[in-house]
Amino acid sequence: LFFRFKKYPSNSIKGLVKKKVYSENGRYIGKVDDVILGENGIEKLKIKLDKKHKSKSKGLLIPYNHVKSAGEIVIISDIDIH
């Protein structure tokens, strides 16, 4: 039996969800948990932080203009996570 999974474009809403997110300097941040839409398309990405980050919050909201690249992974501009 062969199963076919529908592949979504990497920069589409469904294609972005669950993608791994890295900073520009190669640091693993977490995974895309949700996509927030605005009037003109994608406005923000909700990112579930990796457990190794010692942060009180479990996630981040990143403006989509901080996304440098979206393909097999998502690369965002360097941010400071506390």
Coordinates of all heavy atoms in Angstrom, one line a residue:
L1 N 0.8 -1.2 0.0 CA 0.0 0.0 0.0 C 0.9 1.2 0.0 O 1.9 1.3 0.7 CB -0.9 0.0 1.3 CG -2.0 -1.0 1.3 CD1 -2.6 -0.9 2.7 CD2 -3.0 -0.7 0.3
F2 N 0.4 2.2 -0.8 CA 1.1 3.5 -0.8 C 0.2 4.6 -0.3 O -1.0 4.6 -0.6 CB 1.6 3.9 -2.2 CG 2.7 3.0 -2.7 CD1 2.4 1.9 -3.6 CD2 4.0 3.2 -2.4 CE1 3.4 1.1 -4.0 CE2 5.0 2.5 -2.9 CZ 4.7 1.4 -3.7
F3 N 0.7 5.4 0.6 CA -0.1 6.5 1.1 C 0.5 7.8 0.5 O 1.7 8.0 0.5 CB 0.0 6.5 2.7 CG -0.6 5.4 3.3 CD1 0.1 4.3 3.7 CD2 -2.0 5.3 3.5 CE1 -0.5 3.2 4.3 CE2 -2.6 4.3 4.1 CZ -1.9 3.2 4.5
R4 N -0.4 8.6 0.1 CA 0.0 9.9 -0.4 C -0.4 11.0 0.5 O -1.6 11.1 0.9 CB -0.6 10.2 -1.8 CG 0.2 9.7 -2.9 CD -0.1 10.5 -4.0 NE 1.1 10.8 -4.7 CZ 1.3 10.8 -5.9 NH1 0.3 10.6 -6.7 NH2 2.5 11.0 -6.4
F5 N 0.6 11.7 1.0 CA 0.3 12.9 1.8 C 0.3 14.1 1.0 O 1.2 14.3 0.2 CB 1.3 13.0 3.0 CG 1.2 11.8 3.9 CD1 2.2 10.8 3.8 CD2 0.3 11.8 4.9 CE1 2.1 9.7 4.7 CE2 0.2 10.7 5.8 CZ 1.1 9.7 5.7
K6 N -0.7 15.0 1.2 CA -0.8 16.2 0.4 C 0.3 17.1 1.0 O 0.3 17.4 2.2 CB -2.2 16.8 0.6 CG -2.4 18.0 -0.4 CD -3.8 18.4 -0.4 CE -4.0 19.5 -1.4 NZ -5.3 19.9 -1.5
K7 N 1.2 17.6 0.1 CA 2.2 18.5 0.5 C 1.8 19.9 0.2 O 1.4 20.2 -0.9 CB 3.5 18.1 -0.3 CG 4.6 19.0 0.0 CD 5.8 18.2 0.5 CE 7.0 19.1 0.6 NZ 7.8 18.9 1.8
Y8 N 1.9 20.7 1.2 CA 1.6 22.1 1.1 C 2.8 22.9 0.8 O 3.9 22.6 1.3 CB 0.9 22.6 2.4 CG -0.4 21.9 2.7 CD1 -0.5 20.9 3.6 CD2 -1.6 22.2 2.0 CE1 -1.7 20.2 3.9 CE2 -2.8 21.6 2.2 CZ -2.8 20.6 3.2 OH -4.0 20.0 3.4
P9 N 2.7 24.0 0.1 CA 3.8 24.9 -0.1 C 4.4 25.4 1.2 O 3.7 25.6 2.1 CB 3.3 26.1 -0.9 CG 2.0 25.6 -1.5 CD 1.5 24.5 -0.6
S10 N 5.7 25.4 1.3 CA 6.4 25.7 2.6 C 6.0 27.1 3.2 O 6.1 27.3 4.4 CB 7.9 25.6 2.5 OG 8.4 26.5 1.5
N11 N 5.6 28.0 2.3 CA 5.3 29.3 2.9 C 3.8 29.6 3.0 O 3.3 30.7 3.2 CB 5.9 30.5 2.1 CG 5.5 30.5 0.7 OD1 4.8 29.5 0.2 ND2 5.8 31.5 -0.1
S12 N 3.0 28.5 2.8 CA 1.5 28.6 3.0 C 1.2 28.4 4.5 O 2.1 28.0 5.2 CB 0.8 27.5 2.2 OG 1.0 26.2 2.8
I13 N 0.0 28.7 4.9 CA -0.3 28.6 6.3 C -0.2 27.2 6.8 O 0.5 26.9 7.8 CB -1.8 29.1 6.5 CG1 -1.8 30.6 6.2 CG2 -2.2 28.8 7.9 CD1 -3.2 31.2 6.1
K14 N -0.7 26.2 6.1 CA -0.6 24.8 6.5 C 0.8 24.3 6.4 O 1.2 23.5 7.1 CB -1.6 23.9 5.7 CG -3.0 24.2 6.1 CD -3.9 23.2 5.4 CE -5.3 23.4 5.9 NZ -6.2 22.4 5.4
G15 N 1.5 24.9 5.4 CA 2.9 24.4 5.2 C 3.9 25.0 6.3 O 4.9 24.4 6.6
L16 N 3.5 26.1 7.0 CA 4.4 26.6 8.0 C 4.2 26.0 9.4 O 5.1 25.9 10.1 CB 4.1 28.1 8.2 CG 4.7 29.0 7.1 CD1 4.1 30.4 7.2 CD2 6.2 29.0 7.2
V17 N 3.0 25.5 9.7 CA 2.7 24.9 11.0 C 3.6 23.7 11.2 O 3.7 22.8 10.3 CB 1.2 24.6 11.1 CG1 0.9 23.9 12.4 CG2 0.4 25.9 11.0
K18 N 4.2 23.6 12.4 CA 5.0 22.5 12.8 C 6.4 22.5 12.2 O 7.2 21.6 12.4 CB 4.4 21.1 12.6 CG 3.1 21.0 13.4 CD 2.7 19.6 13.6 CE 1.4 19.7 14.4 NZ 0.7 18.7 14.8
K19 N 6.8 23.6 11.5 CA 8.1 23.7 11.0 C 9.1 24.1 12.1 O 8.7 24.8 13.0 CB 8.2 24.8 9.9 CG 7.5 24.4 8.6 CD 8.4 23.8 7.6 CE 7.6 23.5 6.4 NZ 8.4 23.1 5.3
K20 N 10.3 23.6 12.0 CA 11.3 24.0 13.0 C 11.7 25.4 12.7 O 11.9 25.8 11.6 CB 12.5 23.1 13.0 CG 12.1 21.7 13.5 CD 13.3 20.8 13.5 CE 13.0 19.4 14.0 NZ 14.1 18.5 14.0
V21 N 12.0 26.2 13.8 CA 12.4 27.6 13.7 C 13.8 27.8 14.3 O 14.0 27.4 15.4 CB 11.4 28.5 14.4 CG1 11.8 30.0 14.3 CG2 9.9 28.3 13.9
Y22 N 14.6 28.4 13.5 CA 16.0 28.7 13.9 C 16.2 30.2 13.7 O 15.6 30.9 12.9 CB 17.0 28.0 13.0 CG 17.0 26.5 13.2 CD1 16.1 25.7 12.5 CD2 17.9 25.9 14.1 CE1 16.1 24.3 12.7 CE2 17.9 24.5 14.3 CZ 17.0 23.7 13.6 OH 17.0 22.4 13.8
S23 N 17.2 30.7 14.5 CA 17.6 32.1 14.4 C 18.6 32.2 13.3 O 19.1 31.2 12.8 CB 18.2 32.6 15.7 OG 19.4 32.0 16.0
E24 N 18.9 33.4 12.9 CA 19.9 33.6 11.8 C 21.3 33.0 12.1 O 22.0 32.5 11.3 CB 20.1 35.1 11.5 CG 19.0 35.7 10.6 CD 19.3 37.1 10.4 OE1 19.5 37.9 11.3 OE2 19.4 37.5 9.2
N25 N 21.6 33.0 13.4 CA 22.9 32.4 13.8 C 22.9 30.9 14.1 O 23.8 30.4 14.6 CB 23.5 33.2 15.0 CG 22.7 33.0 16.3 OD1 21.8 32.2 16.3 ND2 23.0 33.8 17.3
G26 N 21.8 30.3 13.7 CA 21.7 28.8 13.8 C 21.2 28.2 15.1 O 21.2 27.0 15.2
R27 N 20.7 29.1 16.0 CA 20.2 28.6 17.3 C 18.7 28.1 17.1 O 17.9 28.8 16.5 CB 20.2 29.7 18.3 CG 20.1 29.3 19.7 CD 20.3 30.4 20.6 NE 19.5 31.6 20.2 CZ 19.2 32.6 20.9 NH1 19.6 32.7 22.1 NH2 18.4 33.6 20.4
Y28 N 18.5 26.9 17.6 CA 17.1 26.3 17.5 C 16.2 27.1 18.5 O 16.5 27.2 19.7 CB 17.1 24.8 17.8 CG 15.8 24.2 17.7 CD1 15.0 24.2 16.6 CD2 15.2 23.6 18.9 CE1 13.8 23.6 16.5 CE2 14.0 23.0 18.8 CZ 13.3 23.0 17.6 OH 12.0 22.4 17.6
I29 N 15.1 27.6 18.0 CA 14.1 28.3 18.8 C 12.9 27.4 19.2 O 12.6 27.4 20.4 CB 13.6 29.5 18.1 CG1 14.7 30.4 17.5 CG2 12.6 30.3 18.9 CD1 15.5 31.1 18.6
G30 N 12.3 26.7 18.3 CA 11.2 25.9 18.6 C 10.5 25.6 17.3 O 11.1 25.5 16.2
K31 N 9.1 25.4 17.4 CA 8.3 25.0 16.2 C 7.2 26.0 16.0 O 6.6 26.5 17.0 CB 7.8 23.6 16.4 CG 8.8 22.5 16.2 CD 8.1 21.2 16.2 CE 9.2 20.1 16.0 NZ 8.6 18.8 15.9
V32 N 6.8 26.2 14.8 CA 5.6 27.1 14.5 C 4.4 26.3 15.0 O 4.1 25.2 14.7 CB 5.5 27.4 13.0 CG1 4.2 28.2 12.7 CG2 6.7 28.1 12.5
D33 N 3.7 27.0 15.9 CA 2.5 26.5 16.5 C 1.2 26.9 15.8 O 0.2 26.2 15.7 CB 2.4 26.9 18.0 CG 1.5 26.1 18.8 OD1 1.3 24.9 18.5 OD2 0.8 26.6 19.7
D34 N 1.2 28.2 15.3 CA 0.0 28.7 14.7 C 0.5 29.9 13.8 O 1.6 30.5 14.0 CB -0.9 29.2 15.8 CG -2.4 29.4 15.3 OD1 -2.6 29.1 14.1 OD2 -3.2 29.8 16.1
V35 N -0.4 30.3 12.9 CA -0.2 31.4 12.0 C -1.3 32.4 12.2 O -2.5 32.0 12.2 CB -0.1 30.9 10.5 CG1 0.1 32.1 9.6 CG2 1.0 29.9 10.3
I36 N -0.9 33.7 12.5 CA -1.9 34.7 12.7 C -2.0 35.6 11.4 O -1.0 36.1 11.0 CB -1.6 35.5 13.9 CG1 -1.5 34.6 15.2 CG2 -2.5 36.7 14.1 CD1 -0.9 35.2 16.4
L37 N -3.2 35.7 11.0 CA -3.5 36.4 9.7 C -3.9 37.9 10.0 O -4.6 38.2 11.0 CB -4.6 35.7 8.9 CG -4.3 34.3 8.5 CD1 -5.5 33.8 7.7 CD2 -3.1 34.3 7.6
G38 N -3.5 38.8 9.1 CA -3.9 40.1 9.1 C -4.7 40.4 7.9 O -5.1 39.5 7.2
E39 N -4.9 41.7 7.6 CA -5.7 42.1 6.4 C -5.0 41.7 5.1 O -5.7 41.3 4.2 CB -5.9 43.6 6.4 CG -6.9 44.0 7.5 CD -7.1 45.5 7.4 OE1 -6.9 46.1 6.3 OE2 -7.6 46.1 8.4
N40 N -3.7 41.7 5.1 CA -2.9 41.5 3.9 C -2.1 40.2 3.9 O -1.1 40.1 3.2 CB -2.0 42.7 3.6 CG -2.8 43.9 3.4 OD1 -3.8 43.9 2.8 ND2 -2.2 45.0 3.9
G41 N -2.6 39.2 4.6 CA -1.9 37.9 4.7 C -1.3 37.6 6.0 O -1.9 38.0 7.1
I42 N -0.2 36.9 6.1 CA 0.3 36.4 7.4 C 0.9 37.6 8.1 O 1.7 38.4 7.6 CB 1.4 35.4 7.1 CG1 0.8 34.1 6.4 CG2 2.1 35.0 8.5 CD1 1.9 33.1 6.0
E43 N 0.5 37.8 9.4 CA 0.9 38.9 10.2 C 2.0 38.5 11.2 O 3.0 39.1 11.4 CB -0.2 39.5 10.9 CG 0.1 40.9 11.5 CD -1.2 41.6 12.0 OE1 -2.0 41.9 11.2 OE2 -1.3 41.7 13.2
K44 N 1.7 37.3 11.9 CA 2.6 36.9 12.9 C 2.7 35.3 12.9 O 1.8 34.7 12.5 CB 2.2 37.3 14.3 CG 2.2 38.8 14.5 CD 1.7 39.2 15.9 CE 1.7 40.7 16.0 NZ 1.4 41.1 17.3
L45 N 3.8 34.8 13.5 CA 3.9 33.4 13.7 C 3.9 33.2 15.2 O 4.6 33.9 16.0 CB 5.2 32.8 13.1 CG 5.3 32.8 11.6 CD1 6.7 32.2 11.2 CD2 4.2 32.1 10.9
K46 N 3.1 32.2 15.7 CA 3.2 31.8 17.1 C 4.1 30.6 17.2 O 3.9 29.6 16.5 CB 1.8 31.4 17.6 CG 1.7 31.0 19.0 CD 0.2 30.7 19.4 CE 0.2 30.2 20.8 NZ -1.2 29.7 21.1
I47 N 5.2 30.8 18.0 CA 6.2 29.8 18.1 C 6.2 29.1 19.4 O 6.3 29.8 20.5 CB 7.6 30.4 17.7 CG1 7.6 30.9 16.3 CG2 8.7 29.3 17.9 CD1 8.8 31.7 16.0
K48 N 6.1 27.8 19.5 CA 6.2 27.1 20.7 C 7.7 26.9 21.0 O 8.4 26.3 20.2 CB 5.5 25.7 20.6 CG 5.5 25.0 21.9 CD 4.8 23.7 21.8 CE 4.8 22.9 23.1 NZ 4.1 21.6 22.9
L49 N 8.2 27.5 22.1 CA 9.6 27.4 22.5 C 10.1 26.0 22.8 O 9.3 25.2 23.4 CB 9.9 28.3 23.6 CG 9.8 29.8 23.4 CD1 10.1 30.6 24.7 CD2 10.8 30.3 22.3
D50 N 11.3 25.7 22.4 CA 11.9 24.5 22.8 C 12.1 24.5 24.3 O 12.4 25.5 24.9 CB 13.3 24.3 22.1 CG 13.9 23.0 22.3 OD1 13.2 22.0 22.2 OD2 15.1 23.0 22.6
K51 N 12.0 23.3 24.9 CA 12.1 23.2 26.4 C 13.5 23.6 27.0 O 13.6 24.0 28.1 CB 11.7 21.8 26.9 CG 10.3 21.5 26.6 CD 9.9 20.1 27.0 CE 8.5 19.8 26.6 NZ 8.1 18.4 26.7
K52 N 14.5 23.6 26.2 CA 15.8 23.9 26.7 C 16.0 25.4 26.9 O 16.9 25.8 27.7 CB 16.9 23.5 25.7 CG 17.0 24.2 24.4 CD 18.1 23.7 23.5 CE 18.1 24.4 22.2 NZ 19.1 24.0 21.3
H53 N 15.1 26.3 26.4 CA 15.1 27.7 26.7 C 14.5 27.9 28.1 O 13.4 27.5 28.4 CB 14.3 28.5 25.6 CG 14.9 28.4 24.3 ND1 16.1 29.1 24.0 CD2 14.5 27.8 23.2 CE1 16.4 28.9 22.7 NE2 15.4 28.1 22.2
K54 N 15.3 28.6 28.9 CA 14.9 28.8 30.3 C 14.0 30.1 30.3 O 14.4 31.1 30.8 CB 16.1 28.9 31.2 CG 17.0 27.8 31.0 CD 17.4 27.2 32.4 CE 18.5 26.2 32.2 NZ 18.2 24.9 32.0
S55 N 12.8 30.0 29.8 CA 11.9 31.1 29.7 C 10.6 30.8 30.5 O 10.2 29.7 30.5 CB 11.6 31.4 28.2 OG 10.6 32.4 28.1
K56 N 10.1 31.8 31.1 CA 8.8 31.6 31.8 C 7.7 31.4 30.8 O 6.7 30.7 31.2 CB 8.5 32.9 32.7 CG 9.5 33.0 33.8 CD 9.2 34.2 34.7 CE 10.2 34.3 35.8 NZ 10.0 35.4 36.7
S57 N 7.8 32.0 29.6 CA 6.7 31.7 28.7 C 7.0 30.5 27.9 O 8.1 30.1 27.7 CB 6.6 33.0 27.7 OG 7.7 33.1 26.9
K58 N 5.9 29.9 27.3 CA 6.1 28.7 26.5 C 6.1 29.0 25.0 O 6.4 28.1 24.2 CB 4.9 27.8 26.8 CG 4.9 27.2 28.2 CD 3.8 26.2 28.4 CE 3.8 25.7 29.8 NZ 2.7 24.8 30.1
G59 N 5.9 30.3 24.7 CA 5.9 30.6 23.3 C 6.2 32.1 23.0 O 6.3 32.9 23.9
L60 N 6.3 32.4 21.7 CA 6.6 33.7 21.2 C 5.6 34.1 20.1 O 5.2 33.2 19.4 CB 8.0 33.8 20.7 CG 9.2 33.6 21.6 CD1 10.5 33.5 20.7 CD2 9.3 34.8 22.5
L61 N 5.4 35.4 20.0 CA 4.7 35.9 18.8 C 5.7 36.6 18.0 O 6.3 37.6 18.5 CB 3.5 36.8 19.1 CG 2.3 36.1 19.6 CD1 1.2 37.1 20.0 CD2 1.7 35.2 18.5
I62 N 6.0 36.2 16.8 CA 7.0 36.8 16.0 C 6.4 37.5 14.8 O 5.6 36.8 14.0 CB 8.1 35.8 15.4 CG1 8.7 35.1 16.6 CG2 9.1 36.5 14.5 CD1 9.6 35.9 17.4
P63 N 6.6 38.8 14.6 CA 6.0 39.5 13.4 C 6.6 38.8 12.1 O 7.8 38.4 12.1 CB 6.5 40.9 13.5 CG 6.8 41.1 14.9 CD 7.2 39.8 15.5
Y64 N 5.7 38.6 11.1 CA 6.2 37.9 9.9 C 7.3 38.6 9.2 O 8.1 37.9 8.5 CB 5.0 37.6 9.0 CG 5.3 36.6 8.0 CD1 5.5 35.2 8.4 CD2 5.4 36.9 6.6 CE1 5.8 34.2 7.4 CE2 5.7 35.9 5.7 CZ 5.9 34.6 6.1 OH 6.2 33.6 5.2
N65 N 7.5 39.9 9.4 CA 8.6 40.6 8.7 C 9.9 40.2 9.3 O 11.0 40.6 8.8 CB 8.4 42.1 8.7 CG 8.3 42.7 10.1 OD1 8.3 42.0 11.1 ND2 8.2 44.0 10.1
H66 N 9.9 39.5 10.5 CA 11.2 39.0 11.0 C 11.6 37.7 10.4 O 12.7 37.2 10.7 CB 11.1 38.8 12.6 CG 11.1 40.2 13.3 ND1 12.2 40.6 13.9 CD2 10.1 41.1 13.4 CE1 11.9 41.8 14.5 NE2 10.7 42.1 14.2
V67 N 10.7 37.1 9.6 CA 11.0 35.8 9.0 C 12.0 36.1 7.8 O 11.6 36.9 6.9 CB 9.8 35.1 8.5 CG1 10.1 33.8 7.7 CG2 8.9 34.7 9.7
K68 N 13.1 35.5 7.8 CA 14.1 35.7 6.7 C 13.9 34.7 5.6 O 14.2 35.0 4.4 CB 15.5 35.6 7.3 CG 15.9 36.6 8.3 CD 15.8 38.0 7.8 CE 16.2 39.0 8.8 NZ 16.1 40.4 8.3
S69 N 13.5 33.5 6.0 CA 13.4 32.4 5.0 C 12.4 31.4 5.5 O 12.4 31.1 6.7 CB 14.7 31.8 4.7 OG 14.6 30.7 3.8
A70 N 11.6 30.8 4.6 CA 10.7 29.7 5.0 C 10.8 28.6 3.9 O 10.5 28.9 2.8 CB 9.3 30.2 5.1
G71 N 11.3 27.5 4.3 CA 11.5 26.4 3.4 C 11.3 25.1 4.2 O 10.2 24.9 4.8
E72 N 12.3 24.2 4.2 CA 12.2 23.0 5.0 C 12.2 23.4 6.5 O 11.6 22.7 7.4 CB 13.4 22.1 4.8 CG 13.4 21.5 3.4 CD 12.3 20.6 3.2 OE1 12.0 19.7 4.1 OE2 11.6 20.7 2.1
I73 N 12.8 24.6 6.8 CA 12.8 25.2 8.2 C 12.5 26.6 8.0 O 12.5 27.2 6.9 CB 14.2 25.0 8.9 CG1 15.3 25.7 8.1 CG2 14.5 23.6 9.2 CD1 16.6 25.8 8.9
V74 N 12.2 27.3 9.1 CA 11.9 28.7 9.1 C 13.1 29.4 9.8 O 13.5 29.0 10.9 CB 10.6 29.1 9.9 CG1 10.4 30.6 10.0 CG2 9.4 28.4 9.2
I75 N 13.7 30.4 9.2 CA 14.8 31.2 9.8 C 14.3 32.6 10.1 O 13.7 33.3 9.2 CB 16.0 31.3 8.8 CG1 16.5 29.9 8.5 CG2 17.1 32.2 9.4 CD1 17.5 29.8 7.4
I76 N 14.5 33.0 11.3 CA 14.0 34.4 11.7 C 15.2 35.2 12.1 O 16.3 34.6 12.4 CB 13.0 34.3 12.9 CG1 13.6 33.6 14.1 CG2 11.8 33.6 12.5 CD1 12.8 33.7 15.4
S77 N 15.1 36.5 12.1 CA 16.1 37.4 12.6 C 16.4 37.1 14.0 O 15.6 36.6 14.8 CB 15.8 38.8 12.4 OG 14.6 39.2 12.9
D78 N 17.7 37.3 14.5 CA 18.1 37.0 15.8 C 17.3 37.8 16.8 O 17.0 39.0 16.7 CB 19.6 37.4 16.0 CG 20.5 36.4 15.3 OD1 20.1 35.2 15.1 OD2 21.6 36.8 14.9
I79 N 16.8 37.1 17.8 CA 16.0 37.7 18.9 C 16.6 37.2 20.2 O 17.3 36.2 20.3 CB 14.5 37.3 18.8 CG1 14.4 35.7 18.8 CG2 13.8 37.9 17.6 CD1 13.0 35.2 18.9
D80 N 16.2 38.0 21.3 CA 16.7 37.6 22.6 C 15.5 37.0 23.4 O 14.5 37.6 23.5 CB 17.1 38.9 23.3 CG 17.8 38.6 24.6 OD1 18.4 37.5 24.8 OD2 17.8 39.5 25.5
I81 N 15.7 35.8 23.8 CA 14.7 35.0 24.5 C 15.1 34.9 26.0 O 16.1 34.4 26.3 CB 14.6 33.6 24.0 CG1 14.2 33.6 22.5 CG2 13.5 32.8 24.7 CD1 14.3 32.3 21.8
H82 N 14.2 35.4 26.8 CA 14.4 35.4 28.3 C 13.4 34.4 28.9 O 12.3 34.4 28.7 CB 14.3 36.7 28.9 CG 15.5 37.6 28.6 ND1 16.7 37.1 28.0 CD2 15.6 38.9 28.6 CE1 17.5 38.2 27.8 NE2 16.9 39.3 28.2

